[in-house]
């Protein structure tokens, strides 16, 4: 799916601009105050979160969708081209921080935590790709986005692929990173089972130490140790229950 049909100056932008104007009129001065079902709040009292070795003030948004509270972030102009990033397992929206920083302000960049990840609710602990797709589409609807450029990594790619099968009209373009379109082979299932056993026995922190050795080149540990530590911290922030619920999907 390409960008040929994108119409930055069309009706979609006009509707977003109108929503943005209304939001500016209705939004309270204190970002801690609820606006409808959406809550703006700093991620921590200091407002600074270490991301790959740096600190950056960020404001997260909370919204109730499909019976759970979902955490998401947004940067750029509301009328900009919408680009939505879907993280992999066992990460959170924070893995996309370098990409969010790199995009120009005329891009409406959005990241979010899938159910059971990051700051989104665990919900009932039952996870399927279909549920993840339902949540993704519900978030687009909440944000008033008719069509978006979607980028998914690993499990996020599974979600994006299934979403474009079910809702092709919601996509302007699709970016797939380190993912696959077919079901996991037997080797992958055995590997996942071994990971579950390791987390049960040794905990998430020990799993994180081994995981980064599998996904980063050896040279990266010397050239960019902050990136390695950033991913380890994302994994360690995932509770044991969340980890096991998602890894058994």
């Amino acid at each position: 799916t390409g960008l040929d049909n994108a119409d930055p100056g069309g009706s979609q932008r006009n509707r977003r601009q109108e929503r943005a104007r209304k939001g500016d009129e209705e939004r309270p001065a204190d970002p801690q105050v609820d606006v409808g079902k959406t809550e703006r709040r700093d991620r921590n009292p200091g407002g600074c979160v270490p991301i790959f070795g740096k600190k950056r003030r960020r404001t997260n948004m909370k919204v109730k969708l499909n019976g759970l509270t979902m955490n998401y972030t947004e940067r750029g102009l509301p009328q900009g081209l919408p680009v939505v990033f879907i993280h992999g397992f066992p990460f959170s929206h924070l893995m996309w921080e370098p990409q969010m920083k790199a995009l120009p302000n005329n891009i409406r960049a959005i990241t979010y935590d899938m159910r059971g990840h990051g700051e989104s609710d665990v919900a009932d602990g039952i996870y399927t790709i279909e549920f993840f797709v339902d949540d993704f589409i519900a978030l687009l609807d909440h944000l008033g986005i008719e069509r978006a450029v979607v980028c998914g990594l690993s499990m996020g790619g599974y979600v994006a692929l299934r979403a474009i099968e079910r809702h092709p009209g919601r996509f302007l373009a699709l970016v797939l990173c380190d993912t696959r379109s077919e079901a996991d082979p037997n080797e992958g299932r055995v590997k996942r089972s071994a990971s579950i056993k390791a987390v049960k026995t040794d905990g998430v922190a020990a799993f994180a130490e081994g995981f980064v050795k599998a996904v980063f080149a050896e040279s990266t540990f010397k050239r960019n140790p902050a990136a390695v530590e950033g991913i380890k911290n994302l994994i360690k922030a995932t509770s044991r229950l969340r980890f096991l619920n998602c890894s058994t999907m």
Side-chain angles (χ1 to χ4, degrees), residues 18 22 26 76 86 98 124 144 206 221 232 239:
E18 180 63 24
K22 290 181 178 179
E26 298 171 359
I86 309 178
D124 57 12
F221 286 80
K232 280 201 294 187
S239 71

Side-chain angles (χ1 to χ4, degrees), residues 77-88:
L77 298 174
Q79 66 269 30
L81 178 70
V83 178
V84 183
F85 295 94
I86 309 178
H87 64 79

